[in-house]
């Protein structure tokens, strides 16, 4: 009897185990992560880092906000005012992140209010590790707390850096902050800044809205300096990535250096045109309160900005390269094409974009509009050619 009883209990236990195992096997799969629905065109704004580094304060931000409006940048579409590294001074007893009280005496909520009162949006910076690159507290272990804090300050954009992350897994690390931002209840654009180390274009689409594809830019046409890359070096690293970008998820070749003083106007025009054709986020990085009319004219060229912001959201590819002469092109909503002829050499040169390169029938006659001269050029059939200055571009819209 005892034996039979034991046998029956055994059967029951086995049955339970089997049921549990079947249930685990057939547990419904997690629904795939969805995009947050933000940044349907590449974000535009201004960021403190390229010009001011750690030398920032609430006065720097107020000046930038005011200049953004008086310069016409806001009218041209720039929206986010992003405070990069070094605004933080520590954490309080509850682990709450604290803004540097000397540099930001009015606090971040007040700063956010000011930015919003001027019709702009508020961006902030943190890091996925224990420390930011500027050795301030990062968000590791405080992701949900920080996201809630940012939301309570009215933050609209978070740039999330990759210093002191050691063996952390990039995808799951960025997923954690992405989830924390969503849980905060506030729509916050999420800028993944892990320098392209772990190929974020392969996994970032539903986690963030933009991802850096390279190490840092610096105000230089060509050449590397430690982890800093010139504009041409960054450009070369974008080849092959175009298919990864689209509305809500952009390749980020880093912020603009236009107006920071170490390149020529021609080179700044090229830098800006290339970033626009690449559908790159347009984050100005110069001193807006002190820019010359020439720099302002570059940053506010609405015809070039319209290419960057084209709703189709297809990034340009390099469709031809003959030594120093290149053609970059992207399709536009409505069937047109944006084309940049780039001359990397030290002398001016005639560069041709053939319809073949653009995957258009060669019999097609197209209207040509010059986006820097702001005028229509003679129509073209089969190809378009132009004399391009050294380190310069000719940028046209073909319809
Ligand atoms: C770098 C980042 C820069 C800037 C800097 C701040 O890692 O690429 O854009 O944010 O950190 O320390």
């Amino acid at each position: 009897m005892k034996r039979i009883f034991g046998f029956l209990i055994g059967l029951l236990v086995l049955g339970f185990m089997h049921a549990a195992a079947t249930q685990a096997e057939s547990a419904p799969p997690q629904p795939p992560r969805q995009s947050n629905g933000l940044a349907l065109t590449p974000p535009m704004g201004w960021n403190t880092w390229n010009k001011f580094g750690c030398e920032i304060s609430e006065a720097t931000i107020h000046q930038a906000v005011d200049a953004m409006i008086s310069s016409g940048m806001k009218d041209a579409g720039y929206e986010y005012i992003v405070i990069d590294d070094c605004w933080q001074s520590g954490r309080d007893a509850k682990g709450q992140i604290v803004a540097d009280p000397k540099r930001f005496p009015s606090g971040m909520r007040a700063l956010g209010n000011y930015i919003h009162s001027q019709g702009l949006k508020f961006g902030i910076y943190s890091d996925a590790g224990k420390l930011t690159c500027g050795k301030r507290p990062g968000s590791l272990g405080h992701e949900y707390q920080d996201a809630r804090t940012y939301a309570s300050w009215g933050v609209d954009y978070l740039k999330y850096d990759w210093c002191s992350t050691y063996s952390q897994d990039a995808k799951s690390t960025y997923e954690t902050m992405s989830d924390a931002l969503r849980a905060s209840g506030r729509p916050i654009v999420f800028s993944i800044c892990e320098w392209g180390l772990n190929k974020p274009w392969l996994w970032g689409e539903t986690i963030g809205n933009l991802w850096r594809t390279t190490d840092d830019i610096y105000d230089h046409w060509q050449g590397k300096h430690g982890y800093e890359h010139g504009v041409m070096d960054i450009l070369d690293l974008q080849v092959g990535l175009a298919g990864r970008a689209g509305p809500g998820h952009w390749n980020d070749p880093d912020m603009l250096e236009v107006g920071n003083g170490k390149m020529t106007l021609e080179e700044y025009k090229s830098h800006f045109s290339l970033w626009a054709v690449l559908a790159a986020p347009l984050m100005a990085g110069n001193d807006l309160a002190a820019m010359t009319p020439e720099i302002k004219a570059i940053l506010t060229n609405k015809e070039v900005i319209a290419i960057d912001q084209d709703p189709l959201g297809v990034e340009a590819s390099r469709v031809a390269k003959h030594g120093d002469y290149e053609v970059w092109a992207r399709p536009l909503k409505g069937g047109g094409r944006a084309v940049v002829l780039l001359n990397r050499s030290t002398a001016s040169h005639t560069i041709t974009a053939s319809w073949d390169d653009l995957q258009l029938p060669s019999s097609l006659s197209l209207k040509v509009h010059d986006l820097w001269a702001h005028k229509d050029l003679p129509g073209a059939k089969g190809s378009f050619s132009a004399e391009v200055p050294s380190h310069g571009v000719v940028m046209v819209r073909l319809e």
Side-chain angles (χ1 to χ4, degrees):
M1 185 68 186
K2 229 178 174 183
R3 273 214 198 139
I4 292 177
F5 189 67
F7 178 69
L8 283 177
I9 294 277
L11 268 186
L12 216 61
V13 168
L14 272 177
F16 271 128
M17 278 167 62
H18 179 73
T22 327
Q23 208 175 32
E25 273 161 28
S26 61
Q30 288 292 312
R33 184 182 300 272
Q34 299 290 316
S35 303
N36 61 11
L38 304 172
L40 297 181
T41 61
M44 293 177 64
W46 175 83
N47 174 302
T48 50
W49 185 254
N50 282 356
K51 171 69 189 176
F52 296 101
C54 280
E55 293 307 308
I56 51 171
S57 67
E58 60 188 45
T60 325
I61 308 303
H62 278 247
Q63 271 169 20
V65 168
D66 298 348
M68 187 84 122
I69 294 161
S70 61
S71 64
M73 299 255 307
K74 177 176 178 246
D75 286 341
Y78 294 84
E79 192 177 18
Y80 294 96
I81 297 281
V82 184
I83 308 177
D84 208 284
D85 204 355
C86 302
W87 61 267
Q88 323 85 328
S89 63
R91 291 193 182 272
D92 69 14
K94 292 190 174 136
Q96 196 77 2
I97 190 77
V98 176
D100 184 332
K102 287 203 204 74
R103 290 175 180 266
F104 296 92
S106 314
M108 287 308 188
R109 190 180 316 217
L111 198 53
N113 286 344
Y114 182 68
I115 293 170
H116 290 146
S117 76
Q118 301 305 301
L120 295 167
K121 289 186 172 162
F122 180 21
I124 213 163
Y125 162 103
S126 189
D127 187 284
K130 210 169 162 52
L131 291 177
T132 71
C133 302
K135 307 279 179 250
R136 313 297 163 115
S139 290
L140 185 62
H142 294 271
E143 293 87 354
Y144 281 78
Q145 186 179 23
D146 284 355
R148 276 197 301 277
T149 305
Y150 304 151
S152 78
W153 290 344
V155 165
D156 306 294
Y157 182 112
L158 174 68
K159 171 175 170 182
Y160 204 49
D161 212 346
W162 191 240
C163 271
S164 58
T165 48
Y166 308 103
S167 60
Q168 276 171 243
D169 171 64
K171 179 171 182 253
S172 52
T173 296
Y174 280 94
E175 272 171 350
T176 303
M177 191 41 119
S178 178
D179 291 347
L181 292 175
R182 289 165 209 242
S184 80
R186 190 173 168 88
I188 298 178
V189 169
F190 190 31
S191 159
I192 297 174
C193 178
E194 60 76 78
W195 319 311
L197 286 182
N198 300 280
K199 300 192 167 69
W201 48 87
L202 298 182
W203 47 260
E205 178 171 343
T206 55
I207 298 175
N209 301 103
L210 56 154
W211 47 78
R212 281 272 298 277
T213 53
T214 67
D215 254 327
D216 291 14
I217 195 170
Y218 79 126
D219 190 9
H220 206 75
W221 177 250
Q222 177 145 30
K224 290 185 198 162
H225 178 249
Y227 57 81
E228 298 178 320
H229 290 53
V231 168
M232 289 299 104
D233 302 84
I234 291 203
L235 182 68
D236 285 334
L237 291 167
Q238 309 316 305
V239 173
L241 300 186
R244 300 293 173 179
H249 52 101
W250 308 101
N251 287 311
D252 174 10
D254 207 358
M255 304 173 291
L256 297 166
E257 289 286 4
V258 176
N260 279 334
K262 300 270 168 48
M263 284 190 268
T264 65
L265 280 179
E266 199 67 57
E267 290 168 341
Y268 284 140
K269 246 173 76 180
S270 302
H271 173 22
F272 194 67
S273 306
L274 288 160
W275 263 230
V277 87
L278 286 171
L282 295 180
M283 295 304 238
N286 58 320
D287 183 356
L288 298 182
M291 67 183 157
T292 63
E294 291 80 10
I295 293 299
K296 184 162 72 178
I298 294 175
L299 288 171
T300 58
N301 182 332
K302 290 188 184 170
E303 293 191 306
V304 172
I305 291 172
I307 300 299
D308 180 74
Q309 297 289 302
D310 183 75
L312 196 59
V314 176
E315 175 179 331
S317 300
R318 183 159 70 190
V319 298
K321 176 167 177 66
H322 304 285
D324 282 337
Y325 315 120
E326 300 180 2
V327 181
W328 291 77
R330 68 183 277 189
L332 301 171
K333 187 165 183 216
R337 295 283 191 280
V339 177
V340 172
L341 309 178
L342 167 67
N343 178 1
R344 298 163 80 131
S345 80
T346 51
S348 70
H349 193 83
T350 299
I351 302 179
T352 299
S354 74
W355 283 193
D356 211 26
D357 293 336
L358 306 179
Q359 296 183 329
L360 294 171
S362 55
S363 58
L364 208 61
S365 290
L366 295 176
K367 283 203 271 184
V368 184
H369 185 75
D370 186 319
L371 302 178
W372 286 104
H374 302 296
K375 62 171 194 203
D376 289 337
L377 302 178
K381 191 177 171 187
S383 67
F384 164 72
S385 300
E387 174 89 359
V388 186
S390 158
H391 291 192
V393 297
V394 166
M395 185 173 189
V396 295
R397 186 178 190 127
L398 305 174
E399 304 276 359

